[in-house]
Amino acid sequence: GRDTAGLYDEFVALGFRAVTVCVDSGRLTEQHLGRELDAAFRDSLPPDADPCGERGEYHSFAFAGPPFARPVPFARGGIHRRPPFAFLE
């Protein structure tokens, strides 16, 4: 029930780090895929998109933040498409 724009900003301000691993290509572009959730990502979203992806615009992988002992190592892989979704390996 919280305002998701404020929640997104709080997530970033608290030091959490996440990347997008899936986008609904009918709502976002593949350029949103694999991007870190930061202020620039939020600013790149279309006006009708939920900043937290609560309507299925994107899914993310959190890899660092306050409860993490250390960042989770990962590597961005290839893109797989299953319309209307694009997934990052």
Side-chain angles (χ1 to χ4, degrees):
R2 290 183 57 191
D3 169 59
T4 56
L7 186 60
Y8 184 98
D9 292 342
E10 183 179 336
F11 177 84
V12 172
L14 286 171
F16 284 94
R17 296 185 63 199
V19 295
T20 56
V21 294
C22 175
V23 296
D24 178 339
S25 56
R27 299 175 183 193
L28 301 179
T29 67
E30 284 189 19
Q31 285 74 33
H32 289 101
L33 193 57
R35 289 196 42 199
E36 189 161 341
L37 274 63
D38 56 14
F41 176 80
R42 180 178 177 219
D43 291 346
S44 76
L45 295 173
D48 62 337
D50 184 278
C52 292
E54 289 297 308
R55 292 187 293 271
E57 294 91 343
Y58 69 89
H59 296 278
S60 60
F61 162 63
F63 64 91
F68 290 76
R70 61 188 174 283
V72 176
F74 70 96
R76 289 173 177 87
I79 296 174
H80 300 275
R81 295 168 187 87
R82 294 196 66 183
F85 300 102
F87 302 89
L88 184 65
E89 189 175 304

